[in-house]
Amino acid sequence: MWYKLRLNLNKLTPAQVIVTYYLLAVTIATILLSLPIAHKSGAEWSFLDAIFTAVSAVSVTGLTVVSTVDTFNTTGIFILMFVLQFGGIGIMTLGTFFWLIVGKKIGLKERRLIMTDQNQTSLAGLVSLLKQILLLIIFIEIVGAFILGVYFLGYYPTWQQAFIHGLFASVSATTNAGFDITGQSLIPYANDYFVQFITIILLTLGAIGFPVLIETKDYLMSKKRNKHHFSLYSKITTVTFFGLMIFGTLVIFLFEYNRFFDGMEWHEAFFYSFFQSATTRNGGLATMNVAEFSIPTLLVMSALMFIGASPSSVGGGIRTTTFALNILFLFHFAKGNQTIKVFKREIHHQDVIKSLVVTMMAIFICFLSVIILTFTEDHSIMEIVFEVASAFGTTGLSMGITSELSSIGKCVIIVLMFIGRVGILSFLFMIGGKEKTAKYHYPKERVIIG
Amino acid sequence: MWYKLRLNLNKLTPAQVIVTYYLLAVTIATILLSLPIAHKSGAEWSFLDAIFTAVSAVSVTGLTVVSTVDTFNTTGIFILMFVLQFGGIGIMTLGTFFWLIVGKKIGLKERRLIMTDQNQTSLAGLVSLLKQILLLIIFIEIVGAFILGVYFLGYYPTWQQAFIHGLFASVSATTNAGFDITGQSLIPYANDYFVQFITIILLTLGAIGFPVLIETKDYLMSKKRNKHHFSLYSKITTVTFFGLMIFGTLVIFLFEYNRFFDGMEWHEAFFYSFFQSATTRNGGLATMNVAEFSIPTLLVMSALMFIGASPSSVGGGIRTTTFALNILFLFHFAKGNQTIKVFKREIHHQDVIKSLVVTMMAIFICFLSVIILTFTEDHSIMEIVFEVASAFGTTGLSMGITSELSSIGKCVIIVLMFIGRVGILSFLFMIGGKEKTAKYHYPKERVIIG
Ligand SMILES: [K+]
Ligand SMILES: [K+]
């Protein structure tokens, strides 16, 4: 039986296996989070809510239909952290780690699985990479937990409470989960720039992509720093990541200058802009009620969430590199160039095609979701667009409609979070199939384009 | 002086010349429509309104900031029809016609201009094609005017009024201009299925693309019909055109079944659905106030207007072939196919790339416009999205906000109508430049995509 299952797994494409693994993780998470020992007495908890919370946790989105702090007791909080950890670092990473622990050699087949999950294109050094990822993330989380825990001693009556809040805040930030146990995101720390600053650093370390972290670590530890090469991927994603962060900060600051920020000190307005921009990469935590922003700001934030974080990170969306390649492509096409050159490298044509597929499919899926939700929900288009972008980007920000969604609405958001986390390419390959080479050809004929 | 201008024109790319011609046409139209002899006494008419109306007429969009019937007298109506004719059939077509009339030979340079305007990819037979276009369109308009004029004898007191209304309705429908001199679009004929049916036929003949008409004419007049070949372009655009029409009819019917159509006879509901679906291709006339539809319907209609009509037609938007190629590309990519096969032909890779560029740029431009308008206008997002899609698709439908737009708002809509008519590709090539081949190469490096 087990043997047969293994055989069947071997017949599946990597993308299909990844999706199967995620489905398995969601099932386990649903069961774990539904355990009675995890709940406070009297907490309301339907089966659909359980699935919603499990998908939101595994995909580290952070959208919630029930209040985390009102539903889960301390045991529940630890189970939730465990699920976030699984989701954030990626099931394949942990799977590989367990394989390493029990001493099994990782064959080419397994390596290829991981490759698809983290979307790596080089097989070399993958095993050692995964070890490093895990150690690095846990290291970051512990440092974050310690700093925040010590700082929270001033906020909470006992050191246990301070450190549990510190640990949860650190794990939630590093995995970009966006879950909170304050009951109101980071609003209690709206004027605490230290907590915000640490949180933004942790969010960024989680969302900027593991390869960037590893390459930076290698660079810092290398003795011949001038000979160290950063990969094209790292350069593109880092520039895009911080470019979007700066762009978002500027736009929010300017758009809300005479509106939400009216009468505020410049540093308050700046930190509100900066944090809310940074959080759209993938964090999902907020220092204010985003529904108070005006429509243009919310549209830009929706676009930023839709773009999302780096690939090979804890984030979702179409990913930074996809967006960067789209922009580079349009720019070079308009200039009439045949090849896309950036950082003294040429972009592979196949990658450009992939990036266009991802974006188009994502726009199509999100537009379809908006139409369905405007049909089933009794909320404004802005609230719905924001919710859809947040779910697809696995960001977790909301204008406050999540808990009021209808059953169909919840299902749509569940699917969006799932696709956002798995990634459009894996999703497409799952429903599609393996790459084929054409067996026959027809004559080519030109067509008039708009 | 004139000689120098010719020299400069020769240095411009075809796309730049096209855009220059359109700018010239808008200028002339602005002057013509501002002539005092065209106006009813007491009509209000600002300079921005004049430009808006001129762009709307040249691009045959039909969005109006002033009421046509309250502003223009009979002379004005004839001037407007003249401008619509110019815009609809295309300035280049008429330009070529004038060249033919004065007996000039058309050189390769001029042929290439026309080629870009109508986006033709074959030079052969272009001159004879253009002759046929003009004759065909005028023939269609006269037949339409006659049928509607005779029918309108029952609606209007004098035969002059009946035939002026018939002629204007025919020209407005065939050029897909969407202007009306009833003051309320086709709402007076909401229950007159004959007028609607004739209008849909005229709209379709104008928006389905000239090559389709010519090929169909050739097919019908050919003695060896079984040997006649329709071009790949004609097959794709016709299938997409009617596919979208049927899809739109079904969606509107289903979405509004319990809402706008509640309590109506099935044939009423069907004709409302059918006409409002057909009009999104490019017509812009409506048999009801579209603002009465619900949000999901309006979103779908916005998407349909954004797609627009066939290339080489009087319509705008990203065009049907662009949409079809996007869909075919995504479908084939998901299935893992390397080539796109349709109607026993292979699609040229360059055309797929073009179609993706057009769509991405169009989405970007429309999204940017929506953000600007939500900032400057005091209308709901749905009204703004609908207006933007209508302007870019040069459709001319509106939820009623056009005349209430701010000056910035009017400018945004003017730019959208202009880009929608000129086409994204011409627009890109205008701001960009000529196609270049790379002079040097960098090593290629793969990038991780979402
Ligand atoms: K998140
Ligand atoms: K129109």
Side-chain angles (χ1 to χ4, degrees):
Chain A
M1 183 59 204
W2 173 245
Y3 179 72
K4 265 193 180 169
L5 190 68
R6 275 188 65 103
L7 265 183
N8 281 335
L9 275 181
N10 282 327
K11 275 182 199 164
L12 296 172
T13 60
Q16 284 168 329
V17 176
I18 299 283
V19 174
T20 312
Y21 266 91
Y22 275 109
L23 286 174
L24 204 68
V26 168
T27 310
I28 295 171
T30 307
I31 294 169
L32 284 178
L33 292 169
S34 296
L35 291 176
I37 54 156
H39 294 202
K40 286 188 176 169
S41 55
E44 279 187 42
W45 184 255
S46 76
F47 183 59
L48 189 56
D49 292 343
I51 294 179
F52 194 99
T53 309
V55 172
S56 183
V58 168
S59 67
V60 288
T61 303
L63 287 171
T64 47
V65 282
V66 297
S67 160
T68 308
V69 67
D70 293 341
T71 308
F72 296 107
N73 57 26
T74 309
T75 313
I77 298 289
F78 273 96
I79 292 178
L80 185 59
M81 272 199 271
F82 180 74
V83 174
L84 297 183
Q85 202 69 287
F86 248 93
I89 299 185
I91 295 152
M92 289 313 300
T93 315
L94 278 179
T96 319
F97 194 60
F98 291 147
W99 256 318
L100 283 175
I101 288 173
V102 296
K104 274 195 182 172
K105 282 249 173 80
I106 295 182
L108 190 70
K109 177 80 183 173
E110 281 78 35
R111 282 178 185 238
R112 280 185 51 224
L113 290 185
I114 306 153
M115 202 183 74
T116 311
D117 187 31
Q118 299 296 353
N119 244 322
Q120 302 289 348
T121 47
S122 155
L123 281 170
L126 197 62
V127 173
S128 92
L129 178 80
L130 283 170
K131 268 195 215 169
Q132 293 180 68
I133 289 173
L134 254 188
L135 291 174
L136 203 59
I137 293 298
I138 290 175
F139 175 73
I140 292 170
E141 284 172 346
I142 289 174
V143 172
F146 182 74
I147 296 174
L148 289 173
V150 170
Y151 187 79
F152 283 163
L153 287 173
Y155 272 91
Y156 294 94
T158 68
W159 67 266
Q160 287 96 332
Q161 275 183 289
F163 275 95
I164 283 183
H165 273 83
L167 179 63
F168 192 87
S170 175
V171 171
S172 182
T174 310
T175 59
N176 277 247
F179 279 86
D180 63 86
I181 50 175
T182 64
Q184 42 181 336
S185 201
L186 278 196
I187 295 177
Y189 307 106
N191 295 308
D192 189 328
Y193 300 155
F194 180 77
V195 170
Q196 289 180 43
F197 190 69
I198 296 291
T199 305
I200 287 180
I201 289 177
L202 294 175
L203 289 178
T204 303
L205 290 174
I208 195 140
F210 300 134
V212 177
L213 298 182
I214 298 295
E215 285 181 32
T216 308
K217 198 194 105 209
D218 287 350
Y219 171 73
L220 294 175
M221 294 174 79
S222 163
K223 280 163 193 168
K224 301 170 187 166
R225 287 194 190 173
N226 54 342
K227 289 212 171 174
H228 188 86
H229 285 292
F230 282 96
S231 66
L232 181 61
Y233 157 78
S234 283
K235 288 174 184 165
I236 291 180
T237 198
T238 307
V239 168
T240 313
F241 195 94
F242 290 108
L244 289 172
M245 212 183 239
I246 295 166
F247 171 80
T249 307
L250 285 176
V251 168
I252 296 175
F253 191 86
L254 290 174
F255 278 14
E256 296 299 325
Y257 190 74
N258 286 319
R259 300 180 184 200
F260 182 73
F261 298 148
D262 199 32
M264 275 189 200
E265 293 287 323
W266 70 266
H267 56 87
E268 272 187 280
F270 169 78
F271 254 91
Y272 273 120
S273 307
F274 183 44
F275 194 91
Q276 262 61 235
S277 170
T279 201
T280 58
R281 285 284 58 62
N282 201 245
L285 294 159
T287 59
M288 40 88 62
N289 177 6
V290 288
E292 290 183 44
F293 277 152
S294 59
I295 303 286
T297 310
L298 292 168
L299 284 174
V300 171
M301 284 179 75
S302 301
L304 290 172
M305 293 192 292
F306 175 80
I307 296 169
S310 305
S312 295
S313 81
V314 295
I318 60 169
R319 319 289 151 102
T320 49
T321 48
T322 306
F323 176 69
L325 258 60
N326 288 341
I327 299 293
L328 287 170
F329 169 66
L330 289 180
F331 192 71
H332 279 74
F333 185 91
K335 283 180 69 182
N337 293 336
Q338 295 290 316
T339 53
I340 300 177
K341 295 190 186 74
V342 61
F343 294 120
K344 298 196 175 173
R345 288 287 183 281
E346 266 182 41
I347 304 285
H348 203 286
H349 185 70
Q350 199 60 30
D351 289 338
V352 176
I353 295 288
K354 269 190 195 175
S355 79
L356 294 169
V357 169
V358 168
T359 309
M360 300 282 282
M361 275 303 294
I363 290 172
F364 177 75
I365 290 170
C366 288
F367 186 69
L368 191 66
S369 304
V370 168
I371 290 179
I372 296 173
L373 291 178
T374 51
F375 203 84
T376 61
E377 309 305 309
D378 198 20
H379 293 287
S380 75
I381 312 181
M382 191 62 251
E383 290 170 315
I384 287 169
V385 167
F386 198 85
E387 195 81 4
V388 164
S390 177
F392 176 73
T394 70
T395 317
L397 291 171
S398 174
M399 289 173 69
I401 68 169
T402 320
S403 59
E404 293 162 24
L405 290 172
S406 68
S407 296
I408 296 176
K410 284 177 189 171
C411 292
V412 170
I413 298 296
I414 287 174
V415 171
L416 282 172
M417 292 191 288
F418 190 79
I419 296 174
R421 179 65 192 112
V422 168
I424 293 275
L425 280 185
S426 298
F427 180 72
L428 267 190
F429 286 136
M430 176 193 73
I431 58 173
K434 293 172 189 174
E435 207 165 287
K436 289 164 218 152
T437 32
K439 289 189 195 72
Y440 59 97
H441 287 277
Y442 287 124
K444 287 187 182 182
E445 186 173 334
R446 302 299 299 244
V447 173
I448 315 172
I449 303 296
Chain B
M1 185 61 203
W2 173 244
Y3 181 72
K4 267 192 179 169
L5 190 70
R6 273 188 68 106
L7 264 183
N8 281 335
L9 274 181
N10 281 329
K11 276 181 198 164
L12 296 173
T13 59
Q16 284 167 331
V17 176
I18 299 284
V19 173
T20 312
Y21 265 93
Y22 274 110
L23 285 175
L24 204 69
V26 168
T27 311
I28 294 171
T30 307
I31 295 169
L32 284 178
L33 293 169
S34 296
L35 292 174
I37 53 155
H39 293 201
K40 285 188 175 170
S41 55
E44 280 186 43
W45 184 254
S46 77
F47 183 60
L48 189 56
D49 291 345
I51 295 179
F52 194 100
T53 309
V55 173
S56 182
V58 169
S59 67
V60 288
T61 303
L63 286 172
T64 46
V65 283
V66 297
S67 159
T68 307
V69 66
D70 293 341
T71 309
F72 297 107
N73 55 27
T74 309
T75 314
I77 297 288
F78 272 95
I79 293 178
L80 185 59
M81 270 199 275
F82 179 74
V83 174
L84 298 183
Q85 201 70 285
F86 248 92
I89 299 184
I91 296 154
M92 288 315 298
T93 314
L94 278 178
T96 318
F97 193 62
F98 291 146
W99 255 318
L100 283 175
I101 288 174
V102 297
K104 275 196 182 170
K105 282 248 171 83
I106 295 181
L108 192 68
K109 175 81 183 172
E110 281 78 35
R111 280 178 186 239
R112 279 184 52 225
L113 290 185
I114 307 152
M115 201 182 74
T116 311
D117 187 35
Q118 300 296 352
N119 243 322
Q120 302 288 349
T121 47
S122 156
L123 281 169
L126 198 63
V127 172
S128 94
L129 178 81
L130 281 170
K131 268 196 216 169
Q132 292 180 67
I133 289 173
L134 255 187
L135 292 175
L136 204 59
I137 294 298
I138 291 174
F139 175 73
I140 292 169
E141 284 173 346
I142 290 174
V143 172
F146 182 75
I147 296 175
L148 289 173
V150 169
Y151 187 79
F152 283 163
L153 287 173
Y155 273 90
Y156 294 94
T158 68
W159 67 267
Q160 287 97 330
Q161 275 183 289
F163 275 95
I164 283 184
H165 273 83
L167 180 63
F168 192 87
S170 175
V171 171
S172 182
T174 309
T175 61
N176 278 248
F179 280 85
D180 63 86
I181 49 175
T182 63
Q184 43 181 335
S185 201
L186 277 195
I187 296 177
Y189 308 107
N191 295 309
D192 189 327
Y193 301 154
F194 179 76
V195 171
Q196 289 179 44
F197 189 69
I198 296 292
T199 305
I200 287 180
I201 289 177
L202 294 175
L203 290 178
T204 303
L205 290 174
I208 197 147
F210 300 134
V212 177
L213 297 182
I214 299 296
E215 285 181 33
T216 307
K217 198 194 106 207
D218 288 349
Y219 172 74
L220 293 175
M221 293 173 80
S222 163
K223 281 163 190 166
K224 301 168 188 167
R225 287 194 188 173
N226 54 341
K227 289 213 174 174
H228 188 84
H229 284 292
F230 282 95
S231 66
L232 182 60
Y233 157 78
S234 283
K235 288 175 184 164
I236 291 180
T237 198
T238 307
V239 168
T240 314
F241 195 96
F242 290 109
L244 289 172
M245 212 183 241
I246 294 166
F247 171 80
T249 307
L250 285 177
V251 168
I252 296 174
F253 190 86
L254 291 175
F255 279 13
E256 297 299 325
Y257 189 74
N258 286 318
R259 300 179 185 201
F260 183 75
F261 298 149
D262 198 32
M264 277 188 198
E265 294 287 324
W266 71 266
H267 56 86
E268 271 188 279
F270 168 78
F271 255 90
Y272 273 120
S273 308
F274 183 42
F275 194 89
Q276 262 61 236
S277 169
T279 201
T280 59
R281 286 283 58 62
N282 201 244
L285 295 159
T287 58
M288 39 87 65
N289 177 6
V290 287
E292 291 183 46
F293 277 151
S294 59
I295 303 287
T297 308
L298 292 168
L299 284 173
V300 171
M301 283 178 76
S302 301
L304 290 172
M305 293 192 292
F306 175 81
I307 296 169
S310 305
S312 297
S313 82
V314 295
I318 60 170
R319 320 288 153 103
T320 49
T321 49
T322 306
F323 177 70
L325 258 58
N326 287 340
I327 298 292
L328 287 170
F329 169 66
L330 290 179
F331 190 70
H332 280 74
F333 185 91
K335 283 178 71 182
N337 293 336
Q338 295 289 318
T339 53
I340 300 177
K341 296 191 185 72
V342 60
F343 294 120
K344 298 198 176 172
R345 288 287 183 281
E346 265 182 41
I347 304 286
H348 204 287
H349 185 68
Q350 200 60 29
D351 289 338
V352 176
I353 296 288
K354 270 191 195 173
S355 80
L356 294 169
V357 169
V358 168
T359 310
M360 300 281 282
M361 276 303 295
I363 290 172
F364 177 75
I365 290 170
C366 289
F367 185 68
L368 191 67
S369 305
V370 168
I371 289 179
I372 296 173
L373 292 177
T374 52
F375 203 85
T376 61
E377 310 305 310
D378 199 22
H379 293 287
S380 75
I381 312 182
M382 192 62 250
E383 288 169 318
I384 288 170
V385 167
F386 198 85
E387 195 81 5
V388 164
S390 177
F392 175 74
T394 70
T395 317
L397 290 173
S398 175
M399 288 172 69
I401 68 169
T402 319
S403 58
E404 294 163 24
L405 290 174
S406 67
S407 296
I408 297 177
K410 283 177 188 169
C411 292
V412 170
I413 297 297
I414 286 173
V415 171
L416 281 172
M417 291 191 290
F418 190 79
I419 297 175
R421 179 65 192 113
V422 168
I424 292 276
L425 279 184
S426 298
F427 180 72
L428 266 190
F429 286 135
M430 175 193 72
I431 58 172
K434 293 171 185 172
E435 205 165 292
K436 289 163 218 155
T437 33
K439 290 189 193 71
Y440 58 97
H441 287 277
Y442 287 124
K444 287 188 182 182
E445 186 173 333
R446 302 301 296 246
V447 172
I448 316 173
I449 303 294

